[in-house]
Amino acid sequence: MVKFGYTILYVNDVSKSISFYENAFGFTRKFITPENDYGELSTGETTISFASKELANSNLKKGFIESDLTNKPFATELGFITDNVEEVLVKSKEAGAAILQEAKQKPWGQTVAYIRDIDGFLIEICTPMG
């Protein structure tokens, strides 16, 4: 059986990005390397990891498309589930997030909002389904 273990975001400053996620969403830091080139957050069953762009370039010799707030977000998003979307939206904005879409109720009853983190990654904040 395959288990989804983590997502790694390539960022400018691992410590700064981890601090953003701690402040915006209350996640817990697992560790950061002494070189500040890799770190992880405890978020439940799946880990969000962060690697410096320098480390990513050393692993991906042909390069990659960098995320930043000056370009449109990738066609990928992190989804964070909460009972209070509005509260998390306010907290994430205070931590430095850019609001893309305020909380809106979908026809199926779920409340959904969209933000971008300090590195430009797209995040959906939503209530549980059903």
Side-chain angles (χ1 to χ4, degrees), residues 26-64:
F27 295 139
T28 305
R29 181 181 311 224
K30 284 173 86 172
F31 74 93
I32 297 177
T33 61
E35 300 80 17
N36 190 42
D37 62 355
Y38 182 80
E40 294 182 350
L41 287 171
S42 296
T43 63
E45 190 148 329
T46 304
T47 300
I48 300 175
S49 303
F50 301 85
S52 68
K53 291 178 180 177
E54 292 79 17
L55 180 60
N57 276 316
S58 74
N59 293 329
L60 303 170
K61 299 299 183 193
K62 293 186 178 184
F64 56 92

Side-chain angles (χ1 to χ4, degrees), residues 17-94:
S17 295
I18 285 180
S19 291
F20 167 80
Y21 280 80
E22 288 173 320
N23 294 327
F25 308 109
F27 295 139
T28 305
R29 181 181 311 224
K30 284 173 86 172
F31 74 93
I32 297 177
T33 61
E35 300 80 17
N36 190 42
D37 62 355
Y38 182 80
E40 294 182 350
L41 287 171
S42 296
T43 63
E45 190 148 329
T46 304
T47 300
I48 300 175
S49 303
F50 301 85
S52 68
K53 291 178 180 177
E54 292 79 17
L55 180 60
N57 276 316
S58 74
N59 293 329
L60 303 170
K61 299 299 183 193
K62 293 186 178 184
F64 56 92
I65 298 171
E66 293 187 24
S67 177
D68 65 54
L69 289 167
T70 61
N71 294 312
K72 290 182 180 180
F74 299 129
T76 303
E77 64 186 58
L78 300 175
F80 298 155
I81 300 168
T82 180
D83 290 328
N84 193 333
V85 173
E86 290 80 7
E87 180 181 305
V88 174
L89 203 57
V90 167
K91 201 169 177 189
S92 65
K93 186 176 180 179
E94 289 171 355

